Amino acid sequence: MQKYSGQKRILVATDCIIFGFDGWNIKLLLVQRGLEPEKNKWSLMGGFIQPSESPEDAANRVLELRTGLKNVYMEQFQVFGRPDRDPVERTLSIAYFALIDIHQYEKQLSDEYHPEWFLLDEMPELIFDHAEMVRLAKKQLRYKAALHPILFQLLPEKFTIPQLQALYEGVYQTKFDDRNFSRKLLSTGLLVKLPEKDKLSSKKGAFYYKLDQSHYAENFESFLNLVPNPEKFF
């Protein structure tokens, strides 16, 4: 059997980009790096893939080790392999991303690596090429949110239109026109208006809605009009 003689070692790692929604804002989960170089600086959750692991298994293990989070569905989206991305040794990183309900997972967070949620526009300086990873993960998330109603999964069973609009504004980091967004949203046929109002956020109050599961499949395509051109946000 021919051996790969002379082949230099290349390490393979995984990094996890976890976005979270707290009810009104989109945030990014970061930890403080525990080893040199760049020790104690802010970082994504990363680690090396073990010989017995698949990349997916490694990503789940690393996320739990660094933050305590378990059973988070993460999507693989890109390999980062610039030769100088790690100053110690040539390392490829297989990146995963997820968007979760912060409140659903907040009790799982451990404090060993000081995990902390940051608003996207208040993100601190990150190590290596992690800022580039976050930028491309945001792009992937925006494409996915424009093509699939994944953001509805982060809302409670009943929600208000301002609450849903805040979620979209957080993902796309922009301000949508209130009336236009509401009109487009109601025209999808995906929502059922409830008789009760949320009166905590304003004096007038906002009606609660719920997702119409019975007409979800037939009205799915109308949802695409909410963000018809996601490229303009990149």
Side-chain angles (χ1 to χ4, degrees), residues 20 48 65 68 104-105 111 135 175 183 234:
F48 292 109
L65 175 66
Q104 182 181 343
Y105 289 91
D111 58 6
R135 185 184 71 81
K175 183 74 174 72
R183 178 182 58 79
F234 308 141

Side-chain angles (χ1 to χ4, degrees), residues 2-230:
Q2 183 179 4
K3 294 184 178 180
Y4 301 123
S5 59
Q7 176 64 35
K8 291 186 177 180
R9 185 173 76 157
I10 297 178
L11 301 178
V12 182
T14 184
D15 284 287
C16 305
I17 302 108
I18 307 297
F19 299 108
F21 181 60
D22 66 2
W24 290 103
N25 296 292
I26 296 291
K27 297 180 178 180
L28 175 69
L29 186 61
L30 300 173
V31 294
Q32 289 182 299
R33 182 171 165 86
L35 69 159
E36 296 291 355
E38 310 282 11
K39 186 175 181 179
N40 295 326
K41 292 188 177 180
W42 290 105
S43 164
L44 297 172
M45 290 66 69
F48 292 109
I49 298 174
Q50 302 301 319
S52 61
E53 290 181 312
S54 68
E56 182 179 351
D57 289 340
N60 283 290
R61 174 183 58 79
V62 165
L63 181 62
E64 182 177 356
L65 175 66
R66 301 284 186 259
T67 68
L69 297 184
K70 295 183 287 187
N71 302 317
V72 173
Y73 173 74
M74 292 184 287
E75 185 173 315
Q76 184 185 126
F77 81 101
Q78 190 163 327
V79 174
F80 291 83
R82 198 178 66 217
D84 61 348
R85 63 171 302 274
D86 189 317
V88 177
E89 192 166 358
R90 179 72 196 277
T91 304
L92 302 179
S93 178
I94 302 173
Y96 287 78
F97 81 100
L99 176 59
I100 65 173
D101 177 352
I102 288 177
H103 299 305
Q104 182 181 343
Y105 289 91
E106 60 187 350
K107 291 184 179 179
Q108 288 187 14
L109 281 180
S110 65
D111 58 6
E112 182 177 355
Y113 291 91
H114 308 288
E116 188 172 331
W117 291 103
F118 288 88
L119 292 168
L120 294 182
D121 57 1
E122 296 179 3
M123 189 176 72
E125 183 177 349
L126 302 181
I127 67 167
F128 305 160
D129 56 353
H130 288 193
E132 175 72 358
M133 290 184 179
V134 173
R135 185 184 71 81
L136 293 176
K138 285 194 294 185
K139 181 177 180 179
Q140 184 76 1
L141 175 62
R142 288 167 182 171
Y143 267 124
K144 189 171 182 180
L147 297 174
H148 304 281
I150 59 168
L151 301 186
F152 284 87
Q153 300 168 9
L154 299 178
L155 294 168
E157 185 176 353
K158 61 179 183 179
F159 52 86
T160 65
I161 289 178
Q163 191 175 12
L164 182 58
Q165 183 173 335
L167 175 54
Y168 273 85
E169 289 176 344
V171 168
Y172 290 95
Q173 290 185 275
T174 192
K175 183 74 174 72
F176 293 109
D177 178 77
D178 294 350
R179 290 186 179 181
N180 194 38
F181 185 88
S182 179
R183 178 182 58 79
K184 283 186 174 183
L185 185 61
L186 294 176
S187 70
T188 64
L190 284 169
L191 302 186
V192 176
K193 189 176 183 179
L194 302 176
E196 54 191 307
K197 282 186 173 183
D198 168 26
K199 295 186 177 181
L200 296 177
S201 54
S202 68
K203 290 182 179 180
K204 185 179 178 181
F207 279 103
Y208 281 111
Y209 289 81
K210 68 177 181 179
L211 189 63
D212 186 356
Q213 300 286 355
S214 62
H215 296 89
Y216 180 84
E218 63 191 76
N219 291 327
F220 173 78
E221 289 191 4
S222 64
F223 162 83
L224 302 181
N225 293 322
L226 272 180
V227 188
N229 185 22

